[in-house]
Amino acid sequence: MTTTPVGIHDLSFATTHYALDHAVLAERLGVDRDKFYLGIGQERMSVAAADEDIVTIAAAAAQPILERHGADNIRTVLLATETGVDQSKAAALYLHSLIGLPNAARVVELKQACYGGTAGLAFAAGLIARDPSQRVLVIAADIAKYELDTPGEPTQGAAAVAMLVTANPAILALDPISGLYSADIMDFWRPNYRSEAIVDGKTSVNAYQKAAQEAWSDYRRQGGRELSEFAAFCYHQPFTKMAYKAHRHLLESQGHTAEAADLEAAIGATTTYNRTVGNSYTASLYLGLASLLDHADDLTGKALAMISYGSGSVAEFFSGTVQPGYRAHLRTEANQAAISSREMLDYDHYRALHEAVLPTDGAYHAMAEETRRPFRLAAMSGHKRIYEAR
Ligand code: COA
C-alpha cells in the first residue's frame, strides 16, 4: 500500500518588537559576556512589548501563510503554547478576527511545555492521513520569562512559528515513524498563580539529554533510520549550546566520538535564529528548522532528524525528507527581517517590561502603542483582551 506523504508545506515565523543584547545583561549581572555568548550560546533575546503577547505574535506568524495559500480546507487549527493568555479559551480563536480563520474548523490549544508544537504536528499528520484533502494550521507560540537575576534569565526569548501541514508537502515530508519517551519529572514548571516559570536548570539539562537518548532508542525500535543517514540534527534549543550538549550525549551513548567539527556540521545551521531570538519554548525546535533550511547548502532529498523535548517531560525523535524545489517555498528574507528589525532595549526599559503586570480589575485600560509588528493588544476591558491590526 502506498501512503500519501504528509508534512510541512509552508513555515513562517514572527518575533517581538524588542530584543535585549546579552552583553547588556552580562554587564548588569557582573558576569563575563562570553558566559552567555559562548558558554550558553546566546547573543540576544526577543522581549515582548507591553502590547504584545502570544496571540499577537501567533497572528503575525500565521498571516503570511493564509495570504499565500488561502484558508480553504483548513479544518483544524492547533496552537501550542505554555504561556497562554486564558485558562479556558483557546488562544487561536482570537485569530479568527485578526487574520480570518475559517469558521468551519476545530480550534484547540495544546500544552506540554516546549513539546506542544510537536504534538500538534503529529496530530495534524494523523488527521491528514485520514483525509488528505484537509489542511491543518499548526502554530507554536511562546514568550519565555524567568525571574530577574536568576540563572534562567539569560535563557528567555519569544517567537511564534506557523506551519501549514498538508498531503504532498512542498518543504518537508515527515516519516511515519516516531520515537517517544515520557516521564514524570519536576525540572521546569509554572503553577497557575505564577507568571514566571520555576526551573531546576541543571536537572533540566540532564533530563533533556536522557529523554532525547530514550526517544532515539524508541525511534530505532520502531524501525527508524540510522544516525549516519541524517544530513542534520534539529534539536529543541532552550539555549543553543543545549543542542550541542544533547547531540554529543547522543553520539557518545551510541559509541561514537563527537568531534567539534562533526557537531558543528550536524547542528550549526540550526542555531542561527535561536542564538538571537532566545528560547521560544514550543516554537524553538521549528525556529531551528527554519534556520537550517534558510542557511544550509541544498538539502534536497536529505533526511533530517528532529528532536523535541518538553520538561515535565515528553521527548520525541522524528524525521523527515526535504522535498525537491523546497527553496522556492522558504521565507528567508522575511525571517531575517523579523529578526533584524527588532529595536534594542536598554537595561532599565527591559526591566520595566519584565516587571509590568496587566490590570486585573476588569475596567477599561488602553495599552500604549509600542509594537510596530502587524498586531497588538490594544486594551483590556471587562476582563477581555482587545486586539487590533496595525
Ligand atoms: N566564557 C565561556 N564560557 C563560560 C564562561 C566564560 N566566561 N563562564 C561560564 N561559561 C560556561 C560554563 O563553563 C558552562 O558551560 P558548560 O555547560 O559547557 O559546562 C556554561 O557557560 C554555563 O555556565 P553555568 O555556570 O553552568 O551557568 P548557570 O549556572 O548560570 O546555568 C543554565 C546555565 C542553562 C542551567 C541556566 O541558564 C538555566 O537554568 N536555564 C533555564 C533552564 C533551561 O534552559 N534548561 C534546558 C533544558 S529544557
Side-chain angles (χ1 to χ4, degrees):
M1 188 180 84
T2 53
T3 49
T4 311
V6 175
I8 299 170
H9 190 59
D10 193 7
L11 186 155
S12 152
F13 82 75
T15 188
T16 54
H17 174 70
Y18 290 122
L20 182 73
D21 196 301
H22 279 70
V24 174
L25 189 61
E27 189 183 350
R28 168 73 190 196
L29 297 175
V31 301
D32 182 353
R33 73 176 191 185
D34 279 347
K35 174 175 177 181
F36 300 150
Y37 279 20
L38 305 175
I40 61 169
Q42 289 304 131
E43 289 170 15
R44 289 177 173 179
M45 57 194 189
S46 288
V47 178
D51 55 350
E52 291 177 323
D53 62 19
I54 61 123
V55 171
T56 67
I57 58 174
Q63 186 182 45
I65 288 187
L66 295 192
E67 282 172 357
R68 186 183 281 179
H69 302 281
D72 290 351
N73 247 9
I74 295 180
R75 293 184 57 80
T76 304
V77 180
L78 302 171
L79 189 152
T81 186
E82 54 175 308
T83 51
V85 298
D86 194 283
Q87 297 282 1
S88 296
K89 175 170 170 159
L93 287 164
Y94 292 104
L95 269 51
H96 278 83
S97 48
L98 291 178
I99 62 171
L101 289 183
N103 293 109
R106 57 173 78 80
V107 176
V108 181
E109 189 163 311
L110 301 172
K111 178 183 71 185
Q112 184 1 69
C114 304
Y115 169 75
T118 302
L121 199 53
F123 299 164
L127 286 164
I128 295 160
R130 189 173 73 171
D131 177 359
S133 74
Q134 293 191 18
R135 306 186 296 170
V136 179
L137 182 63
V138 175
I139 306 171
D142 270 303
I143 296 172
K145 212 171 159 188
Y146 295 94
E147 273 181 281
L148 294 167
D149 307 321
T150 63
E153 187 180 9
T155 60
Q156 299 175 111
V161 172
M163 294 177 278
L164 188 64
V165 184
T166 66
N168 301 310
I171 296 178
L172 186 73
L174 297 171
D175 294 337
I177 289 172
S178 266
L180 302 170
Y181 179 75
S182 66
D184 179 6
I185 173 171
M186 298 303 281
D187 57 336
F188 171 110
W189 67 105
R190 184 165 66 85
N192 283 346
Y193 50 81
R194 286 180 60 105
S195 59
E196 291 130 356
I198 303 170
V199 63
D200 179 342
K202 305 288 178 198
T203 302
S204 73
V205 169
N206 292 331
Y208 177 131
Q209 293 179 112
K210 176 180 163 49
Q213 182 191 333
E214 296 283 356
W216 159 254
S217 300
D218 187 53
Y219 174 82
R220 288 291 293 153
R221 282 195 299 272
Q222 303 301 316
R225 300 168 188 262
E226 310 262 3
L227 277 181
S228 58
E229 288 180 57
F230 294 114
F233 291 77
C234 193
Y235 283 83
H236 165 54
Q237 296 167 36
F239 50 98
T240 61
K241 188 79 171 287
M242 186 67 233
Y244 290 86
K245 280 178 188 288
H247 196 52
R248 174 184 296 278
H249 179 86
L250 180 63
L251 290 179
E252 290 178 350
S253 75
Q254 304 306 305
H256 301 285
T257 49
E259 303 295 340
D262 297 337
L263 289 177
E264 194 54 35
I267 307 288
T270 71
T271 62
T272 306
Y273 292 152
N274 281 287
R275 188 177 292 278
T276 185
V277 165
N279 193 359
S280 55
Y281 291 162
T282 51
S284 157
L285 170 63
Y286 300 98
L287 212 58
L289 176 62
S291 179
L292 173 67
L293 295 168
D294 285 351
H295 296 100
D297 292 341
D298 188 8
L299 289 165
T300 303
K302 303 264 173 70
L304 306 182
M306 303 283 293
I307 302 97
S308 186
Y309 175 73
S311 293
S313 65
V314 177
E316 181 161 344
F317 191 114
F318 62 107
S319 52
T321 304
V322 180
Q323 296 302 288
Y326 75 99
R327 278 187 152 156
H329 300 268
L330 301 182
R331 298 175 178 276
T332 311
E333 255 178 55
N335 294 342
Q336 288 169 351
I339 288 170
S340 64
S341 63
R342 292 172 303 171
E343 187 180 321
M344 300 310 295
L345 287 167
D346 62 37
Y347 182 80
D348 290 341
H349 193 172
Y350 155 71
R351 194 171 179 111
L353 285 168
H354 196 289
E355 288 174 337
V357 284
L358 281 177
T360 56
D361 60 6
Y364 177 82
H365 296 274
M367 308 293 291
E369 192 159 349
E370 228 176 320
T371 183
R372 286 195 291 278
R373 299 305 189 191
F375 302 98
R376 63 182 294 269
L377 174 64
M380 297 285 297
S381 180
H383 297 292
K384 295 175 196 149
R385 286 178 187 242
I386 315 294
Y387 292 98
E388 67 181 20
R390 292 185 57 258

